[in-house]
Each structure stands twice: as C-alpha cells, then as structure tokens.
C-alpha cells in the first residue's frame, strides 16, 4: 500500500514532457490530415489528358469520391519529385522507357473520319482526291505524314482536295469529329470514339508506317500512399479495357 509520488523536480519534468508530447501528437495528427487531403497530381500530354483521361475520369470519381485528382496537361517531361507530381503518363519510344515504368499500350495509327463524310474505306485513291486531309504538324515522325502514308499505298501523285494542319493532336481529332476531313488517328486514344461510332476506322490497301512509341506510367514514390495507389490501379485497369476494346 505504498504511495508513489514525484519529487518536486520530477513533477516539473513530467509537466514539461507531457506538454511536449501532446504538442507533438497534435502536429503529427495535423500532418497526417494534410497528407490525406492532398490531391493526387497526375501529369500527361495535352492530347492524352483531353482524349483518354478526362472521358474516363467520371468512373474513377464514382468509385473513389473521397480522392481528389489534380490534372496537369503538359507536353514536356517534368521531374516528378521536383514538380510535386505523383503519377506521370509518358509518351516515348519503347526502347527509351525507364526500367520502372509500366507499359500501358502502344500506338496504332490509321485513317479515321466522321460517318457524316460518307466514307468507309480508302481503297479507291479518288476518295483522297475528293477529300480534305487533317495533318498533325506537332510531330515530324513519318507515321504522322500523309505524304509518307500515301507513298506507301503507291499514291504519291494523288493530291487531296485540301489539307488542314494542326499543332495539337486533340484539336485535329475534334476537327475529324466535326466532319472537317480525314485524320490519322491514334486508335488507343480514340478507342471509345471508334466503339460508339463517332469516328470510323477506314479500310486501306496497305498499312501505313508503324509507330515505335508507347504510353507508360511512372510514379514518384515506389511505395505510394493508398490514394495514389488507387489512381495507379485505375489507370492500369482502364488501359487494359482500352486494349480489349480494340481486339
């Protein structure tokens, strides 16, 4: 039945330590709340964000209404940690993809057009002569060149009715949706438009030049918090659905 009591010095030490521990717990709790409320920042090219990511974002919000996403559309590669980016979708040659990157899908390019143009194939070169071609000037690689594509069909001498040029890929696709001409489309990015008939993939005599580019996912933290992991899992699942829709 002995009683234990602090000495006067011990009492003073206890009060200081107890107060310090309480303040430390308050700070840690506030930091954890801030971390939970911080949005998940995702960066990708302008075309990828506008044509692929945004149309699918509603499904993620329905599944995870508690997670806030911040989209950063940027055609330039950024340093993830320095810029405070959690997830990046990179467009690069497959051989140049970082070792820790996850491949989402490749790039399949073929002519596409709105049904209002009344065109379902490019078997006859006269279709080219009577059509406006939409050309993407933002990339000089051969698979974006109508001139190269026509040469591979043996139609180098065929002149189109007209050409509209764009420096942003998504603008070219929106022009195709408006029925303004025939575009060389990335089938993976416009898979939903092909599936619901907003755009038609046109039959061609020969395949055009093949692209060596892929889209891949990179994450800043190898062990991300659960909100970031949820976004990563969702992007990868949507990529799988995209590929299955094109099979």
């Amino acid at each position: 039945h002995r009683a234990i009591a602090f000495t006067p010095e011990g009492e003073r030490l206890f009060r200081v330590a107890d107060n310090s521990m309480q303040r430390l717990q308050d700070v840690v709790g506030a930091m954890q709340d801030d971390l939970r409320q911080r949005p998940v920042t995702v960066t990708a090219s302008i075309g990828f964000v506008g044509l692929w990511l945004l149309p699918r974002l509603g499904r993620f919000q329905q599944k995870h209404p508690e997670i806030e996403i911040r989209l950063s559309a940027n055609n330039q590669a950024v340093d993830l940690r320095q810029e405070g980016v959690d997830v990046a979708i990179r467009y690069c040659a497959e051989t140049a993809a970082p070792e820790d990157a996850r491949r989402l899908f490749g790039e399949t390019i073929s002519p596409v057009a709105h049904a209002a143009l009344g065109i379902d194939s490019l078997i006859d070169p006269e279709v080219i002569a009577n059509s406006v071609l939409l050309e993407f000037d933002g990339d000089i690689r051969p698979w974006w060149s109508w001139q190269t594509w026509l040469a591979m069909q043996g139609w180098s001498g065929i002149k189109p009715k007209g050409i509209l040029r764009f420096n942003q890929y998504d603008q070219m696709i929106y022009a195709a949706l408006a029925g303004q001409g025939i575009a060389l489309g990335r089938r993976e990015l416009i898979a939903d438009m092909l599936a619901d008939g907003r755009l038609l993939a046109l039959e061609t005599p020969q395949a055009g030049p093949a692209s060596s580019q892929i889209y891949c996912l990179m994450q800043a933290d190898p062990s991300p918090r659960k909100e970031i992991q949820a976004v990563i899992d969702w992007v990868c699942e949507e990529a799988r659905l995209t590929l299955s829709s094109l099979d």
Side-chain angles (χ1 to χ4, degrees):
H1 303 288
R2 294 178 181 177
I4 299 176
F6 284 120
T7 63
E9 292 80 5
E11 181 71 22
R12 288 170 58 194
L13 180 61
F14 170 76
R15 289 178 181 175
V16 172
D18 184 56
N19 183 56
S20 297
M21 288 299 297
Q22 184 59 53
R23 291 174 61 186
L24 182 61
Q25 289 175 349
D26 291 344
V27 171
V28 171
M31 291 173 62
Q32 290 176 336
D33 290 340
D34 290 343
L35 192 61
R36 283 191 291 268
Q37 295 171 6
R38 188 195 311 166
V40 179
T41 299
V42 180
T43 186
S45 68
I46 296 171
F48 189 93
V49 169
L51 295 172
W52 193 87
L53 205 54
L54 279 178
R56 292 165 170 77
L57 195 56
R59 292 200 285 265
F60 178 82
Q61 292 175 318
Q62 289 179 350
K63 189 175 181 180
H64 298 283
E66 76 287 358
I67 300 179
E68 182 180 346
I69 293 182
R70 175 180 175 269
L71 294 180
S72 175
N74 193 333
N75 287 339
Q76 302 298 320
V78 299
D79 185 291
L80 273 62
R81 293 186 179 276
Q82 184 175 345
E83 299 294 331
V85 172
D86 300 304
V87 179
I89 311 299
R90 293 277 169 81
Y91 173 71
C92 62
E94 187 158 17
T95 55
E99 291 185 2
D100 58 347
R102 302 190 191 191
R103 189 184 194 277
L104 297 178
F105 41 70
E107 180 178 64
T108 309
I109 299 172
S110 64
V112 297
H114 192 274
L117 295 183
I119 302 171
D120 58 10
S121 76
L122 295 182
I123 300 298
D124 186 347
E126 284 301 309
V127 175
I128 296 292
N130 295 319
S131 299
V132 174
L133 302 182
L134 308 180
E135 182 127 48
F136 178 41
D137 275 351
D139 193 323
I140 63 172
R141 281 169 283 210
W143 47 84
W144 290 118
S145 167
W146 269 111
Q147 183 178 1
T148 302
W149 188 89
L150 292 174
M152 293 187 71
Q153 313 306 310
W155 298 344
S156 295
I158 302 296
K159 302 297 182 183
K161 180 179 178 181
I163 296 178
L164 288 176
R165 300 181 184 277
F166 302 84
N167 68 343
Q168 294 293 340
Y169 175 75
D170 57 335
Q171 293 174 356
M172 182 183 69
I173 293 301
Y174 292 138
L177 284 170
Q180 295 179 6
I182 305 171
L184 293 172
R186 289 176 168 126
R187 293 175 65 95
E188 288 78 9
L189 292 197
I190 60 174
D192 286 354
M193 300 176 189
L194 296 173
D196 62 22
R198 281 177 288 165
L199 288 176
L200 303 178
L202 307 181
E203 183 183 358
T204 61
Q206 304 291 333
S211 170
S212 61
Q213 303 295 102
I214 66 167
Y215 289 91
C216 59
L217 181 146
M218 298 179 60
Q219 58 195 76
D221 189 345
S223 301
R225 67 183 195 272
K226 64 179 182 179
E227 292 86 0
I228 298 174
Q229 188 62 55
V231 172
I232 292 171
D233 293 343
W234 168 72
V235 170
C236 292
E237 176 60 23
E238 288 291 341
R240 285 192 288 269
L241 292 174
T242 294
L243 290 174
S244 65
S245 73
L246 294 173
D247 289 342

